[in-house]
Amino acid sequence: MTPINQGPVSTRPATGEGDAADLRSVILETRDVTVTYGTHEALHPTSLAFAAGEVTSLIGPSGCGKSTYLRSINLMNREIEGCKVGGQVIYRGQDVNAPGVDLFELRKHIGMVFQQPNPFHKSIYENVAFAPRRHGITKKSDLDQLVEESLRAAAIWDEVKDKLSESGFALSGGQQQRLCIARTLAMHPDIVLMDEPCSALDPISTFAVEETIRSMASRGICTIIVTHNMEQAARVSDRCAFFLLGEMVETGVTAEMFANPSDQRLDDYLTGRFG
Amino acid sequence: MASSSASARARRQDHIATGVLTAIVAVICVALVAIVVYIVGSGAGKLFDVSFLTGKPQQFKAGGGIGPELFNSFYLLVLTLLLSLPLSLGAAIYLAEYAHEGPVTTAAKTIIETLSSLPSIVVGLFGMLFFVLQLGWGFSIMSGALALTMFNLPILTRVIQQALEAVPRDQRDAGLALGLTRWETTIHILIPSAMPAIVTGVILSAGRVFGEAAALIYTAGQSAPMLDFTNFDLSSASCPWNVWRPAETLAVHIWKINSEGVVPDLAAVSSGTAAVLMVCILAFNIIARIVGRRLERRLTAE
């Protein structure tokens, strides 16, 4: 594996930069990333940097391009016909769109959690163990350990430890989503992308997922979360990026951005004047 | 006032629609049950008659059985499924998961839809011209099984394709986002999820194959040599497993004795055969459903 890129980030707006960018260990960087469907540019050039152990919220009204941006990071956009990604997505110093980059290897390191909980039609155990086994972990004891560790990390172990052989679909929506997080964590990812992971969940489940996100950050995982919920962005994220109409308008440290938005459009959004 | 009368009208319409729909379903059910009861009822006497079920068919005198026909029907069904299931599974996976939307896939889908409504007699006559005459295979199980495969392939492909397409998109995304290949995702996630629908589709197509006559009359032929189950000489006409022997099936037998039969107990043999055919299809449906459910349980949550 290439060493973590320690370099500073060049293309970032100077707004809300209270922290020393050079101290952050940037693991993922996008440079002028664009996403085009046919002739429609759904995402205008977006440059952001993400550090290990940091949670970044992507906020903005529906259709602003934040999910589109998220899906360009692990190249899920490639699965959509007619979708083109421009610019550079640099993971650990390597452009992921460069020829020769192993897409499947990349997605092991950059996990994804979706808006709707989507466990497999398999047992709880298999939901977590399935992908690691496909990637070559075959020893039963190793898998057992990985399953327990991942379910614990997603704060769901105590609820499911006695029914690992039951279907993942027998769980509640909130539990299903935490199972999906456990499934992602079982790959030992560096980065976890979350596309509105709590929008289908009740407040208690949302709280559990947010706790999980914080504990992931404390273990050095870089989390990028798309959310509609400003309180959630304030609670879980260290940094924030505001998207509007396919444009990344403002980025910075969450607390500062929310307290002192420098762009009028973000101010309008935060005060509920639209969106 | 106006709105309340409007809602009263809407409620009345709802009542009428419920009544009409219930009546339609009732008529359909009564008609189908009546047909089943009539067929099984008129052949009931022969249904448990072992000498009829295992006996040799007669050309001129009463008391003929349907032993070879019964075996031939199952043998042809199994061979047809062995040929058509892997092919249609492959085609369906390609069309549902791999093919990009474009003129080629659209054309392929249109062709498959057209072929699935092709009259079976056309398939049968094609089979006769090509397998029986051109390739010189004669009236044989092989000719019949290939004709039935042609007949079955488009239907099965469509059913499996639709079953795969009905699996929610987020299941694919989940697999791909874990770094699995499209193939791993299809085989380990999509197919197990689609299994109940696939099994139902296979049952329905198997029922059609089992009861098919027109495609077989000129391919598998209308004669049923007596079978000897101790004979394993694959070139012998009495070896049951020989795929180059002619093989009349139950459905063809019904057609033949009704169109050119001269046996005195023609009506009894015909209705007995029909009842056996019916019961076989019913049993096949029930068994396949149970297997499908077990399979689903094993594949989805062990």
Side-chain angles (χ1 to χ4, degrees):
Chain A
M1 203 78 240
T2 24
I4 295 172
N5 180 359
Q6 300 276 352
V9 181
S10 50
T11 51
R12 189 141 29 90
T15 51
E17 290 298 311
D19 63 333
D22 302 73
L23 295 179
R24 301 163 64 216
S25 54
V26 169
I27 188 169
L28 176 79
E29 193 184 345
T30 67
R31 290 188 191 146
D32 295 325
V33 163
T34 57
V35 179
T36 319
Y37 296 108
T39 55
H40 169 66
E41 191 173 82
L43 183 73
H44 305 313
T46 300
S47 302
L48 285 170
F50 306 93
E54 207 176 59
V55 180
T56 306
S57 290
L58 310 181
I59 59 170
S62 299
C64 66
K66 54 197 192 308
S67 291
T68 303
Y69 174 71
L70 195 72
R71 285 172 162 261
S72 66
I73 294 173
N74 64 344
L75 308 183
M76 285 301 278
N77 281 340
R78 276 199 196 165
E79 311 301 334
I80 301 168
E81 264 176 64
C83 176
K84 271 209 184 72
V85 180
Q88 289 179 302
V89 176
I90 296 160
Y91 167 67
R92 288 181 181 270
Q94 165 81 57
D95 183 356
V96 302
N97 282 303
V101 170
D102 183 345
L103 176 69
F104 305 106
E105 189 64 26
L106 178 81
R107 286 181 182 157
K108 280 161 64 179
H109 297 294
I110 306 183
M112 187 164 204
V113 176
F114 296 85
Q115 183 169 3
Q116 288 292 330
N118 56 351
F120 297 132
H121 290 267
K122 295 178 186 296
S123 68
I124 294 170
Y125 182 95
E126 274 306 307
N127 257 281
V128 181
F130 171 65
R133 188 186 294 122
R134 297 303 311 170
H135 289 302
I137 302 175
T138 48
K139 232 172 99 188
K140 178 89 172 79
S141 57
D142 292 347
L143 281 172
D144 286 351
Q145 200 191 337
L146 182 61
V147 168
E148 177 171 348
E149 165 201 312
S150 309
L151 289 170
R152 277 190 193 282
I156 192 181
W157 171 252
D158 290 330
E159 291 157 70
V160 300
K161 64 181 178 211
D162 298 322
K163 48 178 181 181
L164 292 175
S165 61
E166 285 176 29
S167 167
F169 273 86
L171 300 172
S172 74
Q175 290 173 323
Q176 286 182 20
Q177 192 62 301
R178 277 178 285 150
L179 177 61
C180 293
I181 295 174
R183 173 175 79 185
T184 306
L185 293 179
M187 312 299 293
H188 295 132
D190 293 328
I191 300 169
V192 174
L193 311 173
M194 294 184 154
D195 192 356
E196 297 187 41
C198 300
S199 65
L201 307 186
D202 63 74
I204 295 169
S205 303
T206 301
F207 177 74
V209 170
E210 287 176 4
E211 288 282 282
T212 305
I213 293 172
R214 288 313 318 174
S215 82
M216 281 157 54
S218 69
R219 279 178 294 121
I221 296 175
C222 164
T223 307
I224 307 171
I225 174 173
V226 165
T227 179
H228 265 122
N229 182 332
M230 290 303 116
E231 284 84 34
Q232 179 168 63
R235 281 194 301 265
V236 300
S237 63
D238 305 301
R239 302 177 67 82
C240 214
F242 173 61
F243 287 73
L244 185 67
L245 300 170
E247 183 193 346
M248 203 282 291
V249 173
E250 184 173 344
T251 181
V253 173
T254 305
E256 291 172 18
M257 252 177 86
F258 280 20
N260 289 310
S262 57
D263 193 289
Q264 186 58 40
R265 291 169 289 180
L266 174 59
D267 193 30
D268 289 348
Y269 186 63
L270 290 172
T271 50
R273 250 166 271 167
F274 69 87
Chain B
M1 204 58 221
S3 78
S4 86
S5 80
S7 80
R9 195 167 60 238
R11 242 173 294 144
R12 203 168 52 244
Q13 283 173 342
D14 183 53
H15 281 305
I16 294 170
T18 311
V20 169
L21 294 177
T22 311
I24 291 173
V25 172
V27 168
I28 293 172
C29 285
V30 167
L32 292 179
V33 169
I35 294 172
V36 172
V37 168
Y38 177 75
I39 292 174
V40 175
S42 35
K46 295 274 189 191
L47 212 45
F48 301 102
D49 180 351
V50 177
S51 68
F52 175 70
L53 294 178
T54 60
K56 179 177 186 292
Q58 294 293 345
Q59 300 288 339
F60 306 108
K61 56 181 189 189
I66 53 162
E69 283 83 2
L70 195 53
F71 175 82
N72 290 341
S73 287
F74 277 105
Y75 193 35
L76 263 168
L77 174 64
V78 170
L79 284 180
T80 303
L81 288 180
L82 280 180
L83 290 169
S84 56
L85 201 50
L87 287 175
S88 52
L89 198 58
I93 288 175
Y94 179 76
L95 287 173
E97 302 303 326
Y98 285 83
H100 293 278
E101 289 295 329
V104 178
T105 17
T106 314
K109 285 177 186 177
T110 312
I111 289 168
I112 287 169
E113 274 171 35
T114 312
L115 282 177
S116 66
S117 52
L118 199 65
S120 54
I121 185 67
V122 176
V123 175
L125 289 173
F126 169 80
M128 182 178 77
L129 288 175
F130 190 66
F131 303 126
V132 175
L133 299 176
Q134 185 72 36
L135 298 181
W137 292 351
F139 291 139
S140 64
I141 289 187
M142 195 45 109
S143 304
L146 283 173
L148 284 179
T149 300
M150 285 184 54
F151 167 74
N152 199 25
L153 216 46
I155 301 160
L156 214 47
T157 303
R158 259 192 85 186
V159 169
I160 299 174
Q161 186 194 339
Q162 284 170 348
L164 285 172
E165 283 171 351
V167 177
R169 157 130 223 118
D170 64 13
Q171 292 283 318
R172 285 174 189 81
D173 286 349
L176 295 174
L178 286 167
L180 302 175
T181 61
R182 202 170 278 271
W183 177 246
E184 286 175 308
T185 307
T186 304
I187 295 302
H188 298 286
I189 297 167
L190 303 183
I191 300 239
S193 296
M195 191 50 86
I198 292 175
V199 168
T200 310
V202 172
I203 298 167
L204 292 176
S205 79
R208 285 183 46 147
V209 166
F210 197 79
E212 179 54 35
L216 290 176
I217 292 170
Y218 300 112
T219 52
Q222 303 168 48
S223 62
M226 197 54 203
L227 303 175
D228 172 9
F229 284 87
T230 58
N231 183 347
F232 289 98
D233 175 8
L234 288 179
S235 63
S236 154
S238 68
C239 172
W241 315 107
N242 177 4
V243 293
W244 304 110
R245 66 180 171 85
E248 187 190 43
T249 63
L250 291 174
V252 173
H253 190 56
I254 296 174
W255 177 81
K256 195 180 87 176
I257 52 177
N258 278 300
S259 58
E260 54 191 52
V262 290
V263 288
D265 58 348
L266 189 149
V269 171
S270 165
S271 51
T273 311
V276 170
L277 188 61
M278 193 87 188
V279 169
C280 285
I281 292 176
L282 276 178
F284 188 71
N285 271 268
I286 294 165
I287 292 166
R289 255 169 229 280
I290 293 170
V291 170
R293 213 171 300 151
R294 291 240 172 105
L295 208 61
E296 185 198 1
R297 218 172 296 153
R298 244 200 62 200
L299 289 172
T300 53
E302 47 198 10

